[in-house]
Amino acid sequence: EDQVTQSPEALRLQEGESSSLNCSYTVSGLRGLFWYRQDPGKGPEFLFTLYSAGEEKEKERLKATLTKKESFLHITAPKPEDSATYLCAVLLTQGGSEKLVFGKGTKLTVNP
Amino acid sequence: GAVVSQHPSRVICKSGTSVKIECRSLDFQATTMFWYRQFPKQSLMLMATSNEGSKATYEQGVEKDKFLINHASLTLSTLTVTSAHPEDSSFYICSANRVLGGMYTFGSGTRLTVV
């Protein structure tokens, strides 16, 4: 069964305290791995797509990396406005169509 | 670019009534749109995939007759929750994929409360 597991479930950081979020997956036919940010009561906001092991992408204080079994979202010197739930999703092909399978997310809180 | 508009953002309805949620891709054509459901502190669960001009594909366990999906054009998909019950109360989110692929953009979600 295809699975996406995110850890930790929740993370509290002080402003400026760097850390990493993990997304591990066991899937067949991975087409890509997505990271999204979701604020309360809102839809997910796209951050990154990674397609192959070794790939890295950066945006402001965020950097996403990918291996054959997991992805990391590194947050450098976070600010309170980075507080949100970060979702990881894998893109699969099933029955000739594509679909995203999401993890449960990591709720990040950055204290000033 | 790649904006998806979802309407309404909140709706309260009485048990037994039907509610329609719209999902529009504003600046691109979407061959495929997806409908998700999210419970508090839970992940997004895919309900169905809708393709323009054809029937939607529903995930296992999702009632086709309760959650009616129509994808009438490359920019509009609708989800109708029929004969809603309190257990249908949830956060519903749509997503659209560009014709040229690779961009999964989400709407802002609809909070449905059935009383």
Side-chain angles (χ1 to χ4, degrees), chain A residues 34 36 38 41-46 49 51 87 91 94 97-105, chain B residues 34 36 38 41-44 46 49 59 91 93 95 97 102-109 111:
Chain A
F34 291 68
Y36 289 88
Q38 186 177 26
K42 302 290 185 183
E45 176 188 340
F46 173 78
T49 309
Y51 292 102
L87 300 171
L91 181 63
Q94 288 184 352
S97 60
E98 293 185 341
K99 60 187 281 187
L100 284 176
V101 176
F102 281 85
K104 292 187 176 181
Chain B
F34 305 86
Y36 295 83
Q38 187 176 34
K41 298 184 180 181
Q42 295 295 315
S43 182
L44 279 74
L46 180 64
T49 302
E59 295 297 299
F91 192 54
I93 312 174
S95 171
N97 181 27
M103 188 73 174
Y104 290 83
T105 305
F106 286 79
S108 55
R111 172 70 60 192

Side-chain angles (χ1 to χ4, degrees), chain A residues 28-101:
Chain A
S28 55
L30 177 71
R31 298 286 304 278
L33 186 140
F34 291 68
W35 282 98
Y36 289 88
R37 168 191 171 129
Q38 186 177 26
D39 292 300
K42 302 290 185 183
E45 176 188 340
F46 173 78
L47 293 174
F48 304 108
T49 309
L50 302 168
Y51 292 102
S52 56
E55 190 174 359
E56 298 183 352
K57 289 193 176 174
E58 287 187 69
K59 178 181 178 182
E60 296 181 352
R61 295 177 292 282
L62 300 176
K63 178 180 177 180
T65 62
L66 180 66
T67 71
K68 288 185 178 180
K69 294 184 177 181
E70 59 189 350
S71 177
F72 291 93
L73 184 65
H74 307 278
I75 303 177
T76 302
K79 298 182 178 181
E81 53 262 42
D82 294 322
S83 298
T85 295
Y86 290 85
L87 300 171
C88 164
V90 295
L91 181 63
L92 308 175
T93 300
Q94 288 184 352
S97 60
E98 293 185 341
K99 60 187 281 187
L100 284 176
V101 176

